[in-house]
Amino acid sequence: MLGYIFKDSIVQPTTTKVISGNELNTLMEDENFKESWDSLYASCPWATIFQDRKFIFSWYKANQTSTTPLVILSYENSILKGVLPLVIDKPYFKESSSQQVKINGAGKYDAEYQAWLCSEEFNYDFIHNALTTLFTHYPNAKLSLRFIPRVDLACAIVENPEWKKYTVMQKHHRPLMDFKLTEETKLFRKRHLKAKYNRICRAGKLEFIKVSDINEFKEILDEILVNLDFRQAAMFNKMPSKNNPNRSEMLISLFERDILHVTALKLDGETISSIIGMKGSGWMHLAGLISYSSFHSKYSPGLVHLFLLGQMLQEEGYEYFDLTPGYDAYKERVSTSSDEVVELNISKVTQYGFKKYVRKKFHKVLLNYNIRPMTFDLKVDKFAYLVKGKSLGFVQSLLPAKKQIPQGISNPEEAGLKVNRNKIKDLMKYDSSNTLLTRWEFLENAFGLISKGEYFYSFTDDKDLLAVVWFQSVTNDNGDETGEIKISDSYIHPSIKKYEKSFMDYVQKENPQNSTQKNGSH
């Protein structure tokens, strides 16, 4: 009876639950849920833009065909008290008591920081309840959160006896531009940055602009993503934008929601560098969206861009420019301070935990010898890739070429091929079948040739790259250009190998003997 009389004053216990898939998609349309998330985000002291509902929901939508969205929610008296946004690496995944499943923080590599939202005093209880609920639903889950923006947040897990034995915590160095430093001109007086800036100014009219109009952003976005994919493919064998056709749509959505800070560096009207940053409260995050034209690599446009962007952000009132973890040399060159962030890997799968523990210890050894862990891992991955790729290419080279060009053709146009000058998109259509040259090697070499100042003509059938011919300027003994050009390299797909001479003759005829001709579209 007393319980009934005083039911409104009785404190209800905290309830924590997992919401995923279609149920979550429906919940994301609920206005009350949106308001509750926004309120929690605004009051959470460690929240970054990557926990903002607008970012999370846009990312879920853009990746809905390749992943399963998942959030862990805690309520007290029907009030949302905690949110942990996650994602399962498989689409339409159903709960399973036995199957191992990889779970990441929502946003994966598009979200630089993956954390939860709650109040400071509720942190310990929330993350304990969230993990308990998650591993009840997915007992063989392999959970990875990279990076958590505050080290002490992770302590709520690693100091909990129930989770300590299942958790591997790894700290990472994070370089920053700290605009609150008393020596506020420290960065902008660095001699090497000023020298690079002066050099590029001598090359032509330099403009540094902020892109504020959605139509202007849409106009340059495709070029930004092509340059970004080309560099990523050459360095890491990854094409994040090409592999996710919805990425462009997601970035446009984020721009419309005022989450992006977009700047472009132009030389004589041509965009040579672009940086898309993520705007937080007092913070700007680099978030991996930095691209530049490889045709202007000699001017270090990305580094000059960071230099100018730092000045702009300081003038706009930002407190920090987060250059993000990664041990990249160029970030250290422009940083003024640093701190630490945390990577967490949690799993009851013994093999997974042991693997992450060994990786952590090995990375520490590498850093002690001034070896960048990412560089070492990349070399190992590349070796394995080349062994597999060349073995497959050797077997395929013994077989007839998949593509067949009509007999009796004398030039590319008769074969129905398109010929373009300096079109980066064509290079990324490289087909490694029937050849020993892997895609990674081809694009790495192409990036290097362009960076050295060479240009090319490409031949495609719209789907695949069939041939590319490279030209370089001829120099005399003093290193000065003579005004003449010569073929420096070429690639001919096996299917048109017998027409190589006619293609070479064609491109030499079409190519004007003028090394100063401007680069074509990307």
Side-chain angles (χ1 to χ4, degrees), residues 429-459:
K429 294 175 181 177
Y430 175 74
D431 177 16
S432 62
S433 61
N434 302 103
T435 176
L436 294 178
L437 186 65
T438 64
R439 186 186 73 170
W440 196 342
E441 290 174 301
F442 173 81
L443 292 175
E444 183 180 45
N445 180 61
F447 190 89
L449 291 174
I450 294 174
S451 298
K452 289 193 302 182
E454 300 191 15
Y455 61 95
F456 63 92
Y457 281 86
S458 54
F459 306 83

Side-chain angles (χ1 to χ4, degrees), residues 262-273:
V262 183
T263 49
L265 189 66
K266 294 178 176 288
L267 183 63
D268 291 333
E270 180 185 356
T271 300
I272 62 172
S273 176

Side-chain angles (χ1 to χ4, degrees), residues 39 104 110 139 164 188 254 265 294 350 411 460 488 501 521:
S39 177
N104 295 93
D110 291 320
K164 182 177 182 180
F188 310 120
L254 295 178
L265 189 66
S294 49
T350 305
N411 63 58
T460 73
S488 63
K501 185 179 184 305
S521 64

